[in-house]
């Protein structure tokens, strides 16, 4: 059962990235949904555990949208590792209020940094570096961080509960 | 303190994951991407439709409320434009009837006899969403790679680049791989329209001797046989010479914003 919930959480992220975001915010070229998911999942699961769902989501999204994985997708692994790196060294995970605020700002920063990485990795421009666009992307990322935190936390708590249930059930 | 080996550290796992993605990106196996996309599309398809419906409707509602102040002026503009277009349509109807009669007299096939399959856009992809669309018709609806995709009665927006079981990917005209032979309706300028990394369209490779100006429309020329002749592509902007001064070029404005497209038609068969 927990596997199905994991699949549902990955499917939600994929749908958010390929359907909801483009339709709701067509002018946004930065993959805000995937960047935010990388940060939130890493904060909830920890770095090594985040890799299987994150890589699965990346590969599915890129396969549907582009036919194969893009070099730009390496960015999400980098973001995820950076979150884990800073959380461990600053003990942000121990301070939930301050930690969430810092992670939200980190998400905004990571979204602003994506076009530079995409430009370096593919040599193609993603959008004009207009400060107003960057600012709106920054705030949109923070908004998505606030929305995604409870949703993904709910999925993870369900998975944890079911795993414990399986572990302690006596047959 | 227990000393960790490098392969036990998080950094090694991050590097391994990055190497895996980099390898897949470099290898770019079409069969793998297509298989993953086909399988996941089958499961996600019902949810995609629901999500896309909710998202489009929400955006339209938001847009309605945000543009409520401009509605009066916009309405007046549209009424004026509608009158102009009505008179133009009446004129063209007459020309069309005359053209059909002449074609019959000369034993020529009638133009623009398309067999259209309508489809709904369920996802958008690429740079600023200007590179590809995912539509809800796939191999089950006899979609094939290369089929032209239009909006309305004949506005070309792209062609099918990949077909899955229940869906297809449409490469838009603005994608970097896109290249279409076009001409002005009177044939005074011929060239190609190519995508600019999903950011726009460019009318390019137009010989210096050809004549066109800002505001001219361009249509597909039918050269190469990929697209039927006469599909509208867009309106030309200010022309300029290329850096080697051998050709002319001009940006092209499409009448539709690609991210706003919700319904399209796929041309399955057409008579040139």
């Amino acid at each position: 059962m927990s596997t199905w919930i994991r699949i549902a959480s990955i499917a939600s992220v994929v749908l958010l990235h390929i359907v909801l975001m483009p339709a709701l915010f067509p002018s946004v070229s930065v993959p805000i949904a995937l960047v935010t998911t990388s940060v939130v999942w890493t904060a909830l699961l920890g770095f090594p555990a985040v890799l299987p769902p994150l890589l699965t989501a990346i590969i599915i999204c890129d396969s549907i949208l582009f036919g194969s994985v893009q070099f730009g997708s390496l960015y999400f692994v980098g973001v995820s590792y950076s979150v884990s790196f800073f959380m461990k060294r600053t003990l942000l995970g121990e301070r939930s209020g301050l930690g969430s605020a810092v992670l939200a700002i980190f998400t905004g920063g990571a979204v602003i940094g994506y076009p530079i990485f995409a430009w370096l990795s593919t040599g193609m421009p993603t959008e004009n570096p207009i400060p107003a666009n960057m600012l709106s992307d920054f705030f949109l990322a923070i908004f998505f961080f606030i929305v995604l935190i409870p949703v993904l936390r709910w999925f993870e708590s369900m998975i944890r509960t079911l795993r414990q249930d399986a572990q302690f059930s006596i047959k | 303190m227990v000393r960790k080996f490098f392969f036990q550290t998080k950094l090694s796992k991050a590097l391994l994951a990055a190497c895996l993605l980099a390898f897949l990106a470099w290898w770019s196996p079409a069969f793998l991407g297509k298989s993953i996309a086909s399988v996941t599309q089958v499961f996600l398809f019902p949810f995609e439709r629901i999500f896309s419906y909710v998202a489009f409707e929400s955006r339209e509602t938001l847009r309605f409320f945000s543009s409520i102040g401009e509605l009066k002026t916009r309405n007046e503009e549209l009424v004026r434009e509608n009158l102009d277009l009505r008179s133009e349509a009446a004129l063209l109807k007459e020309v069309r009837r005359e053209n059909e009669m002449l074609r019959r007299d000369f034993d020529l096939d009638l133009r623009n006899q398309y067999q259209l399959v309508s489809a709904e856009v369920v996802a958008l992809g690429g740079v600023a969403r200007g590179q590809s669309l995912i539509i809800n018709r796939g191999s089950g609806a006899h979609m094939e790679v290369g089929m032209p995709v239009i909006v309305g009665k004949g506005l070309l927006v792209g062609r099918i680049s990949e077909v899955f079981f229940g869906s297809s990917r449409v490469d838009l005209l603005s994608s970097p791989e896109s290249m279409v032979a076009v001409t002005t309706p009177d044939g005074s300028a011929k060239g190609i329209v190519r995508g600019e990394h999903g950011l726009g369209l460019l009318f390019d490779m137009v010989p210096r001797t050809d004549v066109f100006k800002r505001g001219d429309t361009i249509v597909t020329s039918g050269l190469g046989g990929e697209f039927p002749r006469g599909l509208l592509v867009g309106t030309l902007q200010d022309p300029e010479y290329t850096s080697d001064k051998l050709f002319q070029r001009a940006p092209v404005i499409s009448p539709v914003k690609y991210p706003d497209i919700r319904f399209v038609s796929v041309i399955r068969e057409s008579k040139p």
Side-chain angles (χ1 to χ4, degrees), chain B residues 221-256:
Chain B
S221 66
L223 261 178
E226 272 185 298
F227 298 102
R229 197 153 54 99
L231 296 175
L232 179 64
V233 172
T235 312
L236 294 172
Q237 300 299 292
D238 289 325
E240 60 177 24
Y241 287 109
T242 54
S243 53
D244 54 13
K245 308 282 181 199
L246 289 174
F247 297 100
Q248 300 177 79
R249 65 183 174 197
V252 180
I253 303 288
S254 176
V256 288

Short mmCIF file of all heavy atoms in Angstrom, two decimals, chain B residues 221-256:
data_model
loop_
_atom_site.label_atom_id
_atom_site.label_comp_id
_atom_site.label_asym_id
_atom_site.label_seq_id
_atom_site.Cartn_x
_atom_site.Cartn_y
_atom_site.Cartn_z
N SER B 221 3.73 27.11 -48.10
CA SER B 221 3.82 27.09 -49.56
C SER B 221 3.54 25.69 -50.12
O SER B 221 3.35 25.53 -51.32
CB SER B 221 5.22 27.54 -50.00
OG SER B 221 6.17 26.60 -49.56
N GLY B 222 3.55 24.69 -49.23
CA GLY B 222 3.31 23.32 -49.69
C GLY B 222 4.57 22.64 -50.21
O GLY B 222 4.55 21.47 -50.56
N LEU B 223 5.70 23.39 -50.22
CA LEU B 223 6.97 22.82 -50.70
C LEU B 223 7.42 21.69 -49.76
O LEU B 223 7.37 21.83 -48.55
CB LEU B 223 8.06 23.89 -50.70
CG LEU B 223 8.37 24.57 -52.01
CD1 LEU B 223 9.43 25.64 -51.81
CD2 LEU B 223 8.85 23.57 -53.05
N GLY B 224 7.85 20.59 -50.34
CA GLY B 224 8.30 19.47 -49.53
C GLY B 224 7.18 18.50 -49.20
O GLY B 224 7.42 17.37 -48.81
N GLY B 225 5.95 18.97 -49.34
CA GLY B 225 4.80 18.07 -49.16
C GLY B 225 4.45 17.76 -47.71
O GLY B 225 3.51 17.00 -47.46
N GLU B 226 5.19 18.36 -46.74
CA GLU B 226 4.89 18.06 -45.34
C GLU B 226 3.59 18.70 -44.88
O GLU B 226 2.84 18.13 -44.11
CB GLU B 226 6.04 18.56 -44.46
CG GLU B 226 7.13 17.54 -44.27
CD GLU B 226 8.15 18.05 -43.29
OE1 GLU B 226 8.78 19.09 -43.56
OE2 GLU B 226 8.31 17.41 -42.25
N PHE B 227 3.39 19.95 -45.36
CA PHE B 227 2.19 20.69 -44.96
C PHE B 227 1.40 21.05 -46.21
O PHE B 227 1.99 21.37 -47.25
CB PHE B 227 2.56 21.98 -44.24
CG PHE B 227 3.33 21.76 -42.97
CD1 PHE B 227 4.70 21.95 -42.94
CD2 PHE B 227 2.68 21.36 -41.82
CE1 PHE B 227 5.40 21.74 -41.77
CE2 PHE B 227 3.37 21.15 -40.65
CZ PHE B 227 4.73 21.33 -40.62
N PRO B 228 0.07 21.01 -46.10
CA PRO B 228 -0.72 21.46 -47.25
C PRO B 228 -0.51 22.94 -47.52
O PRO B 228 -0.13 23.68 -46.60
CB PRO B 228 -2.17 21.19 -46.83
CG PRO B 228 -2.14 20.69 -45.45
CD PRO B 228 -0.75 20.63 -44.96
N ARG B 229 -0.74 23.34 -48.73
CA ARG B 229 -0.56 24.74 -49.11
C ARG B 229 -1.65 25.62 -48.50
O ARG B 229 -2.78 25.16 -48.32
CB ARG B 229 -0.64 24.84 -50.64
CG ARG B 229 -0.09 26.09 -51.25
CD ARG B 229 0.38 25.80 -52.66
NE ARG B 229 -0.68 25.19 -53.47
CZ ARG B 229 -1.44 25.88 -54.33
NH1 ARG B 229 -1.27 27.17 -54.47
NH2 ARG B 229 -2.34 25.27 -55.06
N GLY B 230 -1.30 26.82 -48.13
CA GLY B 230 -2.31 27.81 -47.75
C GLY B 230 -2.67 27.87 -46.27
O GLY B 230 -3.61 28.56 -45.91
N LEU B 231 -1.93 27.19 -45.40
CA LEU B 231 -2.23 27.29 -43.97
C LEU B 231 -1.59 28.56 -43.43
O LEU B 231 -0.40 28.82 -43.67
CB LEU B 231 -1.68 26.08 -43.20
CG LEU B 231 -2.28 24.72 -43.54
CD1 LEU B 231 -1.54 23.62 -42.79
CD2 LEU B 231 -3.76 24.68 -43.21
N LEU B 232 -2.36 29.34 -42.69
CA LEU B 232 -1.84 30.60 -42.16
C LEU B 232 -0.79 30.33 -41.09
O LEU B 232 -0.97 29.46 -40.23
CB LEU B 232 -3.00 31.41 -41.56
CG LEU B 232 -2.65 32.75 -40.92
CD1 LEU B 232 -2.10 33.72 -41.95
CD2 LEU B 232 -3.85 33.35 -40.22
N VAL B 233 0.32 31.10 -41.13
CA VAL B 233 1.38 30.93 -40.13
C VAL B 233 1.44 32.15 -39.21
O VAL B 233 1.54 32.02 -38.00
CB VAL B 233 2.74 30.69 -40.82
CG1 VAL B 233 3.88 30.71 -39.80
CG2 VAL B 233 2.73 29.36 -41.55
N GLY B 234 1.36 33.35 -39.78
CA GLY B 234 1.40 34.54 -38.93
C GLY B 234 1.57 35.81 -39.72
O GLY B 234 1.46 35.81 -40.96
N THR B 235 1.84 36.89 -39.01
CA THR B 235 1.99 38.22 -39.62
C THR B 235 3.44 38.67 -39.48
O THR B 235 4.03 38.52 -38.41
CB THR B 235 1.07 39.23 -38.90
OG1 THR B 235 -0.22 38.64 -38.80
CG2 THR B 235 0.98 40.53 -39.65
N LEU B 236 3.96 39.26 -40.55
CA LEU B 236 5.37 39.66 -40.56
C LEU B 236 5.60 40.99 -39.83
O LEU B 236 4.74 41.88 -39.88
CB LEU B 236 5.88 39.79 -41.99
CG LEU B 236 5.93 38.49 -42.79
CD1 LEU B 236 6.24 38.78 -44.25
CD2 LEU B 236 6.97 37.56 -42.21
N GLN B 237 6.76 41.10 -39.21
CA GLN B 237 7.18 42.35 -38.59
C GLN B 237 8.22 43.02 -39.50
O GLN B 237 8.41 42.59 -40.63
CB GLN B 237 7.77 42.06 -37.20
CG GLN B 237 6.76 41.40 -36.27
CD GLN B 237 5.54 42.25 -36.00
OE1 GLN B 237 5.63 43.28 -35.37
NE2 GLN B 237 4.40 41.85 -36.53
N ASP B 238 8.92 44.02 -38.99
CA ASP B 238 9.87 44.78 -39.82
C ASP B 238 10.96 43.89 -40.43
O ASP B 238 11.64 43.18 -39.72
CB ASP B 238 10.53 45.87 -38.99
CG ASP B 238 9.55 46.97 -38.67
OD1 ASP B 238 8.70 47.26 -39.53
OD2 ASP B 238 9.61 47.51 -37.55
N PRO B 239 11.12 43.94 -41.77
CA PRO B 239 12.17 43.13 -42.39
C PRO B 239 13.57 43.71 -42.16
O PRO B 239 13.72 44.91 -41.95
CB PRO B 239 11.82 43.16 -43.88
CG PRO B 239 10.93 44.32 -44.07
CD PRO B 239 10.34 44.68 -42.76
N GLU B 240 14.57 42.83 -42.22
CA GLU B 240 15.97 43.28 -42.11
C GLU B 240 16.84 42.34 -42.93
O GLU B 240 16.43 41.22 -43.25
CB GLU B 240 16.42 43.29 -40.64
CG GLU B 240 16.35 41.92 -39.98
CD GLU B 240 16.86 41.89 -38.56
OE1 GLU B 240 16.85 42.93 -37.91
OE2 GLU B 240 17.25 40.80 -38.12
N TYR B 241 18.06 42.78 -43.25
CA TYR B 241 18.98 41.92 -43.99
C TYR B 241 19.78 41.06 -43.02
O TYR B 241 20.05 41.48 -41.89
CB TYR B 241 19.93 42.76 -44.84
CG TYR B 241 19.26 43.38 -46.06
CD1 TYR B 241 19.00 44.75 -46.11
CD2 TYR B 241 18.85 42.58 -47.12
CE1 TYR B 241 18.37 45.31 -47.20
CE2 TYR B 241 18.21 43.14 -48.21
CZ TYR B 241 17.97 44.50 -48.25
OH TYR B 241 17.32 45.04 -49.33
N THR B 242 20.16 39.87 -43.47
CA THR B 242 21.03 39.03 -42.64
C THR B 242 22.42 39.65 -42.59
O THR B 242 22.73 40.54 -43.40
CB THR B 242 21.12 37.59 -43.21
OG1 THR B 242 21.52 37.69 -44.58
CG2 THR B 242 19.80 36.87 -43.13
N SER B 243 23.27 39.17 -41.67
CA SER B 243 24.59 39.81 -41.49
C SER B 243 25.44 39.73 -42.76
O SER B 243 26.23 40.62 -43.04
CB SER B 243 25.32 39.17 -40.31
OG SER B 243 25.36 37.77 -40.49
N ASP B 244 25.25 38.65 -43.57
CA ASP B 244 26.03 38.55 -44.82
C ASP B 244 25.35 39.28 -45.98
O ASP B 244 25.86 39.25 -47.11
CB ASP B 244 26.26 37.08 -45.17
CG ASP B 244 24.96 36.28 -45.23
OD1 ASP B 244 23.88 36.91 -45.25
OD2 ASP B 244 25.02 35.04 -45.26
N LYS B 245 24.21 39.92 -45.70
CA LYS B 245 23.47 40.72 -46.69
C LYS B 245 22.95 39.91 -47.88
O LYS B 245 22.60 40.45 -48.92
CB LYS B 245 24.33 41.88 -47.26
CG LYS B 245 24.96 42.75 -46.20
CD LYS B 245 23.98 43.71 -45.61
CE LYS B 245 24.63 44.59 -44.55
NZ LYS B 245 23.69 45.20 -43.66
N LEU B 246 22.94 38.59 -47.75
CA LEU B 246 22.48 37.76 -48.87
C LEU B 246 20.97 37.54 -48.84
O LEU B 246 20.34 37.34 -49.85
CB LEU B 246 23.18 36.40 -48.83
CG LEU B 246 24.65 36.39 -49.20
CD1 LEU B 246 25.25 35.01 -48.98
CD2 LEU B 246 24.85 36.81 -50.65
N PHE B 247 20.43 37.53 -47.64
CA PHE B 247 19.00 37.24 -47.49
C PHE B 247 18.31 38.31 -46.64
O PHE B 247 18.97 39.09 -45.97
CB PHE B 247 18.80 35.87 -46.82
CG PHE B 247 19.32 34.72 -47.61
CD1 PHE B 247 20.56 34.16 -47.32
CD2 PHE B 247 18.59 34.19 -48.67
CE1 PHE B 247 21.05 33.10 -48.06
CE2 PHE B 247 19.07 33.13 -49.41
CZ PHE B 247 20.31 32.58 -49.11
N GLN B 248 16.97 38.24 -46.67
CA GLN B 248 16.19 39.09 -45.78
C GLN B 248 15.53 38.19 -44.74
O GLN B 248 15.35 36.99 -44.96
CB GLN B 248 15.07 39.78 -46.55
CG GLN B 248 15.53 40.66 -47.67
CD GLN B 248 14.32 41.24 -48.41
OE1 GLN B 248 13.71 42.18 -47.96
NE2 GLN B 248 14.00 40.66 -49.55
N ARG B 249 15.13 38.78 -43.64
CA ARG B 249 14.37 38.03 -42.64
C ARG B 249 13.50 38.99 -41.84
O ARG B 249 13.73 40.21 -41.87
CB ARG B 249 15.31 37.25 -41.71
CG ARG B 249 16.20 38.11 -40.87
CD ARG B 249 17.12 37.24 -40.05
NE ARG B 249 18.07 38.06 -39.33
CZ ARG B 249 19.17 37.62 -38.80
NH1 ARG B 249 19.49 36.34 -38.92
NH2 ARG B 249 19.97 38.41 -38.15
N ALA B 250 12.52 38.40 -41.13
CA ALA B 250 11.63 39.23 -40.30
C ALA B 250 11.00 38.37 -39.22
O ALA B 250 10.68 37.20 -39.47
CB ALA B 250 10.54 39.85 -41.18
N PRO B 251 10.82 38.92 -38.05
CA PRO B 251 10.10 38.17 -37.01
C PRO B 251 8.65 37.97 -37.43
O PRO B 251 8.10 38.78 -38.19
CB PRO B 251 10.19 39.07 -35.78
CG PRO B 251 11.25 40.06 -36.07
CD PRO B 251 11.29 40.23 -37.56
N VAL B 252 8.06 36.89 -36.95
CA VAL B 252 6.66 36.57 -37.29
C VAL B 252 5.84 36.52 -36.00
O VAL B 252 6.27 35.92 -35.02
CB VAL B 252 6.57 35.20 -38.00
CG1 VAL B 252 5.13 34.87 -38.36
CG2 VAL B 252 7.44 35.18 -39.24
N ILE B 253 4.70 37.16 -36.05
CA ILE B 253 3.80 37.11 -34.89
C ILE B 253 2.64 36.17 -35.24
O ILE B 253 1.95 36.38 -36.23
CB ILE B 253 3.22 38.51 -34.55
CG1 ILE B 253 4.35 39.52 -34.29
CG2 ILE B 253 2.26 38.43 -33.36
CD1 ILE B 253 5.09 39.35 -33.01
N SER B 254 2.48 35.14 -34.44
CA SER B 254 1.36 34.22 -34.67
C SER B 254 0.08 34.82 -34.08
O SER B 254 0.14 35.47 -33.03
CB SER B 254 1.66 32.88 -34.00
OG SER B 254 0.57 32.02 -34.13
N PRO B 255 -1.07 34.62 -34.73
CA PRO B 255 -2.31 35.19 -34.18
C PRO B 255 -2.72 34.58 -32.84
O PRO B 255 -3.54 35.13 -32.13
CB PRO B 255 -3.36 34.85 -35.24
CG PRO B 255 -2.60 34.47 -36.45
CD PRO B 255 -1.28 33.96 -36.00
N VAL B 256 -2.17 33.39 -32.51
CA VAL B 256 -2.51 32.80 -31.20
C VAL B 256 -1.26 32.74 -30.31
O VAL B 256 -0.14 32.60 -30.80
CB VAL B 256 -3.07 31.37 -31.31
CG1 VAL B 256 -4.45 31.36 -31.87
CG2 VAL B 256 -2.14 30.46 -32.06
#
